[in-house]
Amino acid sequence: GQNIDQPTEMTATEGAIVQINCTYQTSGFNGLFWYQQHAGEAPTFLSYNVLDGLEEKGRFSSFLSRSKGYSYLLLKELQMKDSASYLCAYLDSNYQLIWGAGTKLIIKP
Amino acid sequence: DVKVTQSSRYLVKRTGEKVFLECVQDMDHENMFWYRQDPGLGLRLIYFSYDVKMKEKGDIPEGYSVSREKKERFSLILESASTNQTSMYLCASSFLGADTGELFFGEGSRLTVL
């Protein structure tokens, strides 16, 4: 079956750090992705992890542990423009993307 | 600037009406996808296409059909709209063999069926 979970909503303060977790259960796995979606806009690609470890890209980093079925997106030096939904998705054995419901991140001044 | 364009941002239709949602991409991508996005649920794949005139069912194809007559255009058709098809519809495209999963999305078409 397909099972992927992430928190529905998180709140953080401008300038701080926030970690958004994503857990999944699957018998076939070909990588995990994070997308950002601002309200009323298209999702945009943030990161892709297929090997265990941390991938850093500016203020954003993404981590994967395949053995634990776990990933997180780390956002540093939060800015108001980071207020958005963050979508986690894994690529299954058929190379189809299986999506989480998204985490709405609210940044407060 | 690369672009996926969906024909309508907002539509209101009545139950039983036929609905066409069109999507055009200018990146020469082979793969095109139609998703629906509902609150509290992840994106759900309706149909996808890897080539012109080719289509494959996704997870929730019931009540929908698609057409891909040209590489750049992928249309979603609701033959007889129902209220449970009220949703945000997202089109996306990617290169063939893009197993990095980088999809390029359109801005969405919000459909309300009364």
Side-chain angles (χ1 to χ4, degrees):
Chain A
Q2 303 164 350
N3 193 3
I4 179 166
D5 291 302
Q6 54 182 130
T8 303
E9 188 174 294
M10 297 181 71
T11 302
T13 305
E14 191 177 15
I17 298 172
V18 71
Q19 178 175 310
I20 303 174
N21 295 326
C22 174
T23 58
Y24 62 89
Q25 292 176 314
T26 180
S27 54
F29 178 82
N30 286 295
L32 189 127
F33 310 89
W34 287 95
Y35 281 75
Q36 180 190 58
Q37 185 178 24
H38 285 100
E41 297 184 10
T44 54
F45 174 83
L46 284 178
S47 68
Y48 166 69
N49 295 67
V50 67
L51 299 176
D52 289 352
L54 187 68
E55 297 275 346
E56 295 186 71
K57 200 184 287 186
R59 293 188 299 113
F60 291 13
S61 302
S62 56
F63 171 84
L64 176 67
S65 169
R66 289 173 297 171
S67 62
K68 295 181 179 178
Y70 168 67
S71 173
Y72 67 73
L73 182 69
L74 190 72
L75 291 74
K76 301 176 185 177
E77 300 169 17
L78 285 169
Q79 302 175 8
M80 297 303 292
K81 67 178 182 179
D82 297 330
S83 292
S85 288
Y86 291 86
L87 313 180
C88 169
Y90 70 83
L91 202 59
D92 72 8
S93 55
N94 295 318
Y95 289 91
Q96 295 300 322
L97 278 169
I98 309 303
W99 297 84
T103 298
K104 183 178 180 181
L105 178 63
I106 300 166
I107 310 296
K108 295 186 174 179
Chain B
D1 203 16
V2 295
K3 211 167 174 68
V4 179
T5 303
Q6 294 185 226
S7 54
S8 306
R9 291 296 302 273
Y10 301 95
L11 302 95
V12 179
K13 298 290 181 181
R14 296 204 175 273
T15 300
E17 281 192 276
K18 192 169 186 175
V19 182
F20 289 92
L21 299 178
E22 295 203 314
C23 175
V24 178
Q25 50 95 3
D26 64 1
M27 295 169 279
D28 202 33
H29 285 164
E30 292 84 359
N31 304 334
M32 296 190 74
F33 306 82
W34 274 106
Y35 288 93
R36 64 179 280 176
Q37 185 174 35
D38 298 291
L41 300 176
L43 293 175
R44 291 183 290 167
L45 183 62
I46 304 171
Y47 267 97
F48 60 100
S49 170
Y50 289 148
D51 200 356
V52 175
K53 297 194 185 293
M54 175 272 179
K55 60 185 178 184
E56 292 283 346
K57 292 179 180 179
D59 299 319
I60 52 163
E62 297 78 19
Y64 304 94
S65 62
V66 291
S67 173
R68 187 132 182 236
E69 296 296 317
K70 293 184 178 181
K71 188 176 184 180
E72 67 271 17
R73 187 179 298 268
F74 193 36
S75 301
L76 180 69
I77 303 149
L78 288 69
E79 291 289 342
S80 177
S82 62
T83 54
N84 63 12
Q85 292 179 311
T86 292
S87 187
M88 170 69 86
Y89 291 88
L90 289 168
C91 174
S93 70
S94 71
F95 285 113
L96 187 66
D99 54 359
T100 59
E102 183 168 2
L103 299 179
F104 295 84
F105 285 88
E107 292 196 334
S109 299
R110 184 168 292 283
L111 171 67
T112 302
V113 183
L114 302 175

